Amino acid sequence: MTLILGIESSCDETAAALVTSTRDVLAHKLATQEVTHRPYGGVVPELAARAHVEVLVPLIEAALAEAGVSLNDVDAIAATAGPGLIGGVMVGLVTAKALCHAVGTPLVAVNHLEGHALSPRLADATLEYPYLLLLVSGGHCQLLRVMGVGRYQRLATTIDDAAGEAFDKTAKILGLGFPGGPAVERAAHAGNPKAVPLPRPLKGSDEPHFSFAGLKSAVLRAHQEQRYAVVDIAASFQAAVVDCLIDRTKRALDRSDDVTALVVAGGVAANKSIRAALEALAMARGVRFVAPPLWLCTDNAAMIGWAGVERFEAGLTDALDVPARPRWPLDPDAEKARGAGVKA
Ligand code: KG4
Ligand code: ZN
């Protein structure tokens, strides 16, 4: 059995977990910085990095204590090495390097996106490669064919905003608070999804890419018109996102007939309407639908620990001079999406 200490610090969650190759999460300790960033309506990188410094070591100690193991018992330490806010990534990675050096344990530098991509395999032992992954988070919106550890084919990305970013910006426009996704989902629950006519950017286009900037602008205009209830705008926005995600995922499924399952991961996968629509699509296409439990969808250290298990068992460890990377595509060979801005 392999035992891995996983560390996550790439955005506004600091977390440490102990994960085994038998899929047991022996401990998971997480501190969220929501309260720190709420007054600003978004994550402030410098504040995030400082908060990671303050809580990471106590979280690691607490996780080890809860699991009843010591650092000498772990086979490797896996830390997010990117992509993400560089200050935060460095806090987690440098801490991992120091611990690895101190106890003579191998380091596994994990791509945060690979953490999300492999997390469904921690939750479901029967999920086999290849599968189609819809990765929807605050910073990313991608469709990937996951063929194995470190083997990803990016079929689509966003040409502007990520889906979670669209939720967060919509929440800000509508005054619903931070973080935006859960707030918009709650408001949408009380609204009419057909009340406000909103666009479905790129729906029907040939390549399965995404775009959400136009939708966000339309939300802003609808709000400024002062004709619609906030809950109706929220519900109509969420319906438009669901429509776009489903249409684009259909297009990607058309291009990946070898996949055994449709899998969703990333923070936006916590959204119940999105999960339900994807599940219905998978059923209609005759493929399995797999979604990790909600706590594994948002940022956490168990998914980093699990990616660490898969990489370690594949013989993939890293030297202690491995760099922290603010950008780190899972599929470096993917072509840039036509019309994409700098973020893609
Ligand atoms: O994966 P994640 O925790 O962090 C990133 O790596 O980005 O995703 C966070 C994103 C945020 O944009 C948040 O608003 C969104 O996931 N999110 C949701 C929901 N819960 C979180 N979006 C829609 N509905 C939700 N229930
Ligand atoms: Zn994430």
Side-chain angles (χ1 to χ4, degrees):
M1 187 189 75
T2 302
L3 175 65
I4 304 285
L5 167 64
I7 295 174
E8 161 60 28
S9 62
S10 66
C11 191
D12 59 345
E13 258 92 34
T14 324
L18 286 142
V19 183
T20 70
S21 50
T22 47
R23 292 182 165 77
D24 288 313
V25 179
L26 301 182
H28 184 227
K29 295 285 171 196
L30 181 142
T32 176
Q33 304 172 5
E34 250 172 62
V35 176
T36 308
H37 302 295
R38 190 171 290 142
Y40 307 95
V43 179
V44 183
E46 179 62 19
L47 295 180
R50 285 190 211 181
H52 289 305
V53 171
E54 281 164 18
V55 300
L56 181 56
V57 171
L59 284 178
I60 293 170
E61 286 171 342
L64 289 167
E66 186 174 309
V69 298
S70 85
L71 269 184
N72 293 309
D73 299 324
V74 308
D75 294 294
I77 300 176
T80 297
L85 301 173
I86 193 66
V89 173
M90 285 177 73
V91 171
L93 186 61
V94 168
T95 304
K97 287 178 179 180
L99 295 176
C100 286
H101 186 65
V103 290
T105 300
L107 172 74
V108 184
V110 173
N111 183 316
H112 178 85
L113 303 175
E114 181 164 61
H116 280 300
L118 301 182
S119 64
R121 284 170 51 83
L122 169 59
D124 188 332
T126 66
L127 177 60
E128 304 270 0
Y129 300 117
Y131 52 85
L132 180 69
L133 171 76
L134 172 63
L135 177 58
V136 269
S137 71
H140 300 274
C141 191
Q142 302 191 350
L143 282 156
L144 294 153
R145 248 181 89 234
V146 180
M147 297 170 284
V149 184
R151 295 178 56 223
Y152 306 94
Q153 182 190 4
R154 197 196 73 189
L155 299 175
T157 186
T158 178
I159 64 168
D160 40 56
D161 293 349
E165 198 176 354
F167 270 95
D168 293 335
K169 288 178 176 170
T170 290
K172 207 167 178 178
I173 291 167
L174 299 179
L176 291 172
F178 173 85
V184 170
E185 183 173 17
R186 265 194 308 277
H189 205 62
N192 173 3
K194 297 205 167 91
V196 188
L198 292 174
R200 268 72 175 152
L202 292 185
K203 186 170 174 182
S205 79
D206 200 32
E207 295 289 324
H209 295 306
F210 301 92
S211 166
F212 293 103
L215 177 57
K216 173 200 63 193
S217 307
V219 164
L220 179 61
R221 282 193 298 275
H223 185 57
Q224 285 169 340
E225 280 180 33
Q226 299 188 334
R227 283 200 291 142
Y228 303 108
V230 162
V231 290
D232 287 340
I233 301 177
S236 302
F237 163 80
Q238 185 171 276
V241 173
V242 169
D243 256 12
C244 294
L245 292 178
I246 294 300
D247 178 73
R248 312 288 61 219
T249 306
K250 269 185 194 163
R251 191 61 55 123
L253 278 171
D254 290 342
R255 294 176 176 201
S256 26
D257 46 13
D258 59 342
V259 297
T260 58
L262 170 61
V263 174
V264 64
V268 181
N271 186 288
K272 294 194 186 62
S273 305
I274 292 171
R275 283 166 99 98
L278 289 168
E279 185 163 16
L281 170 62
M283 200 183 277
R285 291 294 181 105
V287 291
R288 282 179 65 201
F289 176 67
V290 179
L294 296 187
W295 72 271
L296 252 187
C297 282
T298 47
D299 285 352
N300 65 84
M303 70 180 192
I304 304 303
W306 176 254
V309 168
E310 293 225 26
R311 292 190 79 81
F312 180 78
E313 295 201 331
L316 301 168
T317 58
D318 294 272
L320 292 188
D321 62 353
V322 66
R325 302 173 63 174
R327 286 171 194 278
W328 186 1
L330 274 184
D331 176 5
D333 300 330
E335 274 179 33
K336 209 172 168 217
R338 222 174 311 146
V342 285
K343 277 195 281 191

